[in-house]
Amino acid sequence: GGVYRLEFEPPIDTSLPPDTQLEAVYRHGRFAECNDAFARMYGFQRAEELIGRNLSLMLPPDDPEVRAYLQLVFDAGYRVVD
C-alpha cells in the first residue's frame, strides 16, 4: 500500500482555530517521504517525483469532503492510520 510522511515548516500550532490550521496545512505542508506505491496512486511513477510537493496535490483545498477529513485529522491530533 501507499505510505507517506508530511512535514510542516514551520510547525503548525495546534491550538489555533481549525480554519487557521487548515490554511497553514496548505501553505506549509510538503511531502517529505513516500513510497512508489503511493506515488502511483497519484499518477506519478516514482516517489522522488512527489517529494517537496504541496499537500494540495493529494487533498484539493476546495473540496468540502477534504476539509471535513482534515478536521478529523486535527481532532485526532494529526495522527492518521488507514
Side-chain angles (χ1 to χ4, degrees):
V3 178
Y4 68 96
R5 181 176 62 84
L6 299 170
E7 285 185 348
F8 301 96
E9 186 58 44
I12 296 172
D13 180 349
T14 58
S15 68
L16 294 171
D19 285 344
T20 305
Q21 288 184 57
L22 183 65
E23 182 181 317
V25 161
Y26 281 109
R27 189 178 320 120
H28 305 294
R30 300 280 182 265
F31 289 97
E33 293 180 78
C34 71
N35 62 8
D36 289 339
F38 181 82
R40 287 190 295 273
M41 291 168 57
Y42 291 91
F44 296 90
Q45 295 299 311
R46 298 180 18 201
E48 293 80 16
E49 297 174 73
L50 270 176
I51 304 306
R53 289 185 180 251
N54 186 281
L55 177 63
S56 62
L57 176 75
M58 181 176 112
L59 299 172
D62 56 349
D63 184 332
E65 289 182 24
V66 167
R67 295 178 76 85
Y69 168 75
L70 287 172
Q71 182 61 54
L72 292 173
V73 171
F74 301 158
D75 293 344
Y78 288 81
R79 288 184 170 87
V80 180
V81 176
D82 293 331

